[in-house]
Amino acid sequence: MANSSVGLKRELGLFSVIALAAGAVLGGWLAEAPYWFQLTGAGAAIIFPILAIILIPVGLAFSELTAMLPFSSAVDVWSSSAMNSSTGWATQWMFFLVQVVEPPLVAFIFVTAAGYFVDLSDVVKPLIAIGIMVIWYIVSNFNIDLTGKLAVVFFIVMVGITLIDSIYYFFSGHWELTNITAHGGFFPNGIYGAIAGASALVLKYIGFGMTPTLIQEAKFPARKMITVILAALFIPAVVYMIATFAIGGLAPHNVIAHLSIPEPQLVNSLDMAGIIGLFAIGSGLLYAFTTLMGFWTSSARVLYGASQLRQLPPWFSKTNKHGQPYIANIVVLAFGIFFALFTSTDWVQYIYSLSVVAAGIVYFLVCLSAYRLRTKQADWKRPYRSPAGKPMFVIGMAVSAAITIVGVTLLPASAWVPILIYIVIGVLVPVAMRIYRRRVGGYEPIILTPDDRDVAGAGE
């Protein structure tokens, strides 16, 4: 099955990566919306575009570093170059957490959607989620071109349905502005709720951060990653703003906060056209599946990239005849099952808070790396250069620190056990690798530079 000489294949076009990234940002809101309304009401409609703007400095750091060091190892090679291999591994391990918790999250969205039609016990739910991940594990071992084509089709269909449904809600005769203004306003929980909501909703933008891991499979120049990242920030911002405002006008925020999947339930309770509710479920599942595809692919590339830098054994960089890192896919499945088994009935808050804290740490280290490399490697070619340079990266670090601090306050008790286990595993991996190197010899960690583009198959 394996053929380590095949390597990753360049089969993803610009729009395919945009569809994967923007689709991953949009994924999951079918069942996650109640959490938004619980935190900050319909004000989420305003928070989404604000967050897109606030995250621009972080996106610029990702764009500059991807163009300069276009490797699937992404945050690992950036932090290793700016600091050292140990920091690179720590950044990569935290980045892997951001990516790998997403597949079980969206798998539970499928479970929630199924619960709309059939009663499911708490014992059965994780098993269904695991079954969905196993199905995608099988598909993930085929050409990535299949993932890219599915992402494009799903993206067009699901965004189209969302806009049609939103327009229907506005003109249904049931949409009332007073559902928003007469029940505490846009931010019924005040400034704290708005800040908590903004911190939690950062999760919805994590999709833009996974795109650099796909750069070795992209058919477009690495300097165009800025286009992908900005699209992944602002397309979802517009869609979320319209959809959240449309849903928020159908019922008071405290009603929506207690629904499991608001759109079809509101359609049913308000006696609107049943087909609209089914469309909402269908588009929601497409969003979820796109998210599953994107983050699964990225998770496997994170492991592949760490193997490129010899921080993991060479097995992780082995690919099958379709150019897929099949061992990395197995590990992603294992972690997906691990987090699915630890997920309880408050799965949305559990995975939101877990991801936000990890993402804030990664964003900070990426902005710090971009800052340090402007001085440390000032002569390296930067096909894309972020405007404002170091001051922009300082702003990115400040934003990232705020995200992390607020995210920690949202962590439920159920999140601490798996995250501590995960950190322990991350500490033990370098120890195990030292033992492995003594056994095999000649496998010391390396740090890739712009001169290694062709050697690693990264190209321009």
Side-chain angles (χ1 to χ4, degrees), residues 243-264:
T244 304
F245 197 50
I247 297 170
L250 296 178
H253 72 92
N254 57 325
V255 172
I256 298 175
H258 289 90
L259 299 175
S260 57
I261 43 177
E263 280 195 78

Side-chain angles (χ1 to χ4, degrees), residues 108 339-348 350 414:
F108 272 93
F339 283 109
L341 291 176
F342 269 99
T343 301
S344 60
T345 53
D346 63 344
W347 61 271
V348 174
Y350 161 77
S414 60

Side-chain angles (χ1 to χ4, degrees), residues 318-389:
K318 289 184 176 182
T319 55
N320 62 18
K321 64 181 180 180
H322 301 293
Q324 294 296 310
Y326 66 96
I327 293 179
N329 279 332
I330 294 173
V331 175
V332 172
L333 175 62
F335 272 100
I337 293 173
F338 169 77
F339 283 109
L341 291 176
F342 269 99
T343 301
S344 60
T345 53
D346 63 344
W347 61 271
V348 174
Q349 182 185 1
Y350 161 77
I351 295 184
Y352 259 59
S353 54
L354 198 68
S355 301
V356 166
V357 171
I361 294 171
V362 171
Y363 292 166
F364 182 89
L365 290 171
V366 167
C367 290
L368 177 61
S369 297
Y371 181 94
R372 286 177 58 86
L373 287 173
R374 277 291 185 101
T375 300
K376 186 177 180 180
Q377 301 294 350
D379 59 331
W380 278 2
K381 180 181 178 182
R382 289 167 170 79
Y384 171 78
R385 195 175 183 89
S386 169

Side-chain angles (χ1 to χ4, degrees), residues 58-285:
V58 180
L60 292 175
F62 271 82
S63 300
E64 176 169 307
L65 293 172
T66 303
M68 182 171 61
L69 295 165
F71 305 104
S72 60
S73 45
V75 302
D76 196 339
V77 71
W78 307 340
S79 295
S80 294
S81 298
M83 275 78 78
N84 51 59
S85 291
S86 297
T87 305
W89 166 251
T91 308
Q92 187 81 328
W93 190 242
M94 197 59 63
F95 186 55
F96 182 62
L97 175 61
V98 175
Q99 310 299 303
V100 84
V101 296
E102 292 297 319
L105 182 148
V106 296
F108 272 93
I109 291 170
F110 281 87
V111 174
T112 304
Y116 179 73
F117 301 100
V118 181
D119 287 333
L120 299 172
S121 69
D122 290 340
V123 175
V124 172
K125 290 177 180 178
L127 299 179
I128 296 176
I130 290 170
I132 291 169
M133 288 188 287
V134 169
I135 292 172
W136 181 250
Y137 159 74
I138 296 171
V139 178
S140 70
N141 284 297
F142 292 93
N143 285 341
I144 196 170
D145 182 52
L146 173 62
T147 300
K149 289 178 179 177
L150 287 174
V152 170
V153 174
F154 290 174
F155 181 76
I156 294 172
V157 173
M158 63 197 186
V159 171
I161 292 176
T162 297
L163 295 178
I164 291 171
D165 278 7
S166 296
I167 293 171
Y168 177 87
Y169 299 150
F170 282 126
F171 295 97
S172 65
H174 298 283
W175 193 93
E176 297 179 7
L177 185 59
T178 53
N179 279 326
I180 298 172
T181 59
H183 301 275
F186 277 94
F187 300 102
N189 296 323
I191 186 64
Y192 175 78
I195 293 174
S199 179
L201 293 176
V202 166
L203 170 69
K204 302 313 302 172
Y205 287 101
I206 286 176
F208 86 83
M210 64 97 166
T211 52
T213 65
L214 306 177
I215 196 62
Q216 285 185 235
E217 294 161 279
K219 295 187 289 186
F220 55 88
R223 66 178 181 275
K224 292 188 177 181
M225 186 54 71
I226 181 63
T227 302
V228 175
I229 287 177
L230 290 179
L233 286 174
F234 287 97
I235 292 176
V238 173
V239 175
Y240 274 134
M241 181 173 63
I242 294 171
T244 304
F245 197 50
I247 297 170
L250 296 178
H253 72 92
N254 57 325
V255 172
I256 298 175
H258 289 90
L259 299 175
S260 57
I261 43 177
E263 280 195 78
Q265 288 175 303
L266 288 171
V267 167
N268 183 55
S269 65
L270 295 173
D271 200 27
M272 291 189 279
I275 189 67
I276 294 296
L278 293 177
F279 278 162
I281 293 175
S283 65
L285 293 180

Side-chain angles (χ1 to χ4, degrees), residues 33-41 188-189 253 256-257 349:
Y35 184 49
W36 312 347
F37 281 88
Q38 175 188 335
L39 284 175
T40 190
N189 296 323
H253 72 92
I256 298 175
Q349 182 185 1

